[in-house]
Amino acid sequence: MKTNRIGAWIAMAIGASYFVIPLIGTFEFSLRMRRGEYSFDAYRSVFSDMQFRETFGYSMMMALLTIVFGMLLVVPTAYWVRLRLPQMRPVVEFITLLPLVIPAIVIVFGYLRLYNSSSILPLTGSTTGTNILLMFSYITLSLPYMYKAVDTAMRAIDVRTLTEAAQSLGASWSTILFRCIFPNVMSGVLSGAFITLAIVMGEFTMAALLNRPAFGPYLQLVGANKAYEPSALAVIAFSITWLSMGLLNLVSRFGKSAPAKA
């Protein structure tokens, strides 16, 4: 028993070193911008760059919109499938998993084909339309994670009983959805939201091909033209991802301990 525990700790240490040591090396290199001493010059250069602030702000805005509209799409769908169409669950799950199988470059070329400036719905003909198209592209990429998180949270509650109880009190469908269902699956929604944030902040293919000023293309541009700033940006990007993972873990623990609301 003790030997197995030691072996598990050794395996965990090896696995952690596989991820942590390269990150430590990247962080150490990002501090070498000033010759002969460590400094945060690379980080100051990054944060003082107007393009960094613009692309970071743009991606944060797109992440927020993606989370809101993705939530409004996924929660009612998962609720209705579980309540009225349980036989359609395998089909819906298969559809939501397609973005994991189809490469992002294929999806975005399909969007460009369908919504170019000469099509019936010319979204790429304007900046607003392209932003909307990019937002829906992000929703597509985050769909497997958002749906699975919400569906898992919905399994922990008795959807049918909550619905019947609310209907017996005269509640409308919108009231049932927003005052009964949403509060009870909020842990799943937040879990999907943090994953979506990490996806949007690091996504490159769709933003680059749609020519939008997102954070992912900015990372690639800086990496191709500078030496120390890319390492600083990599550390910042890792910090965002790890923060999302930490919040996801916190929300998951909170969701397990929170009682269902009637």
Side-chain angles (χ1 to χ4, degrees), residues 34-241:
R34 189 180 302 177
R35 180 171 298 180
E37 60 178 303
Y38 289 128
S39 69
F40 287 94
D41 290 351
Y43 293 89
R44 280 191 286 268
S45 176
V46 166
F47 287 120
S48 63
D49 186 359
M50 180 64 68
Q51 193 174 3
F52 166 80
R53 295 197 292 269
E54 290 175 353
T55 56
F56 189 85
Y58 177 84
S59 288
M60 287 296 293
M61 179 193 69
M62 294 302 296
L64 179 61
L65 292 174
T66 301
I67 290 167
V68 171
F69 283 95
M71 175 183 65
L72 293 176
L73 171 67
V74 168
V75 175
T77 301
Y79 167 67
W80 195 251
V81 168
R82 182 164 288 275
L83 182 67
R84 299 295 188 188
L85 301 170
Q87 70 277 8
M88 292 296 294
R89 277 195 64 196
V91 178
V92 174
E93 289 184 354
F94 174 77
I95 293 173
T96 59
L97 291 175
L98 284 178
L100 296 178
V101 180
I102 304 174
I105 193 170
V106 175
I107 296 174
V108 73
F109 269 118
Y111 285 161
L112 290 172
R113 183 76 173 176
L114 288 173
Y115 304 112
N116 59 59
S117 57
S118 60
S119 67
I120 299 176
L121 190 60
L123 291 179
T124 60
S126 65
T127 300
T128 302
T130 308
N131 289 335
I132 293 173
L133 183 58
L134 181 61
M135 181 192 69
F136 283 111
S137 301
Y138 287 154
I139 291 175
T140 301
L141 289 182
S142 62
L143 190 60
Y145 312 100
M146 179 69 81
Y147 182 84
K148 180 58 70 174
V150 171
D151 186 60
T152 301
M154 207 164 284
R155 290 181 187 178
I157 63 175
D158 191 341
V159 171
R160 188 172 299 277
T161 300
L162 283 174
T163 302
E164 291 175 353
Q167 285 179 328
S168 68
L169 295 173
S172 62
W173 283 110
S174 59
T175 301
I176 294 171
L177 188 62
F178 287 101
R179 299 193 65 179
C180 297
I181 302 302
F182 264 97
N184 283 291
V185 298
M186 190 53 63
S187 61
V189 170
L190 292 176
S191 298
F194 294 135
I195 298 175
T196 300
L197 174 63
I199 291 173
V200 172
M201 294 305 294
E203 202 283 326
F204 168 79
T205 305
M206 291 184 169
L209 292 177
L210 291 174
N211 195 27
R212 303 313 302 141
F215 191 58
Y218 173 75
L219 290 174
Q220 189 275 335
L221 178 65
V222 173
N225 294 283
K226 296 184 179 180
Y228 299 97
E229 286 86 347
S231 298
L233 284 170
V235 173
I236 294 171
F238 269 113
S239 300
I240 294 172
T241 303

Side-chain angles (χ1 to χ4, degrees), residues 234-257:
V235 173
I236 294 171
F238 269 113
S239 300
I240 294 172
T241 303
W242 284 13
L243 177 61
S244 299
M245 291 174 61
L247 292 173
L248 173 60
N249 186 37
L250 184 63
V251 167
S252 299
R253 292 185 179 182
F254 176 77
K256 291 179 181 178
S257 61

Side-chain angles (χ1 to χ4, degrees), residues 20-40:
V20 173
I21 291 176
L23 184 59
I24 293 174
T26 302
F27 177 68
E28 192 269 343
F29 181 77
S30 69
L31 301 177
R32 289 181 171 271
M33 189 171 183
R34 189 180 302 177
R35 180 171 298 180
E37 60 178 303
Y38 289 128
S39 69
F40 287 94

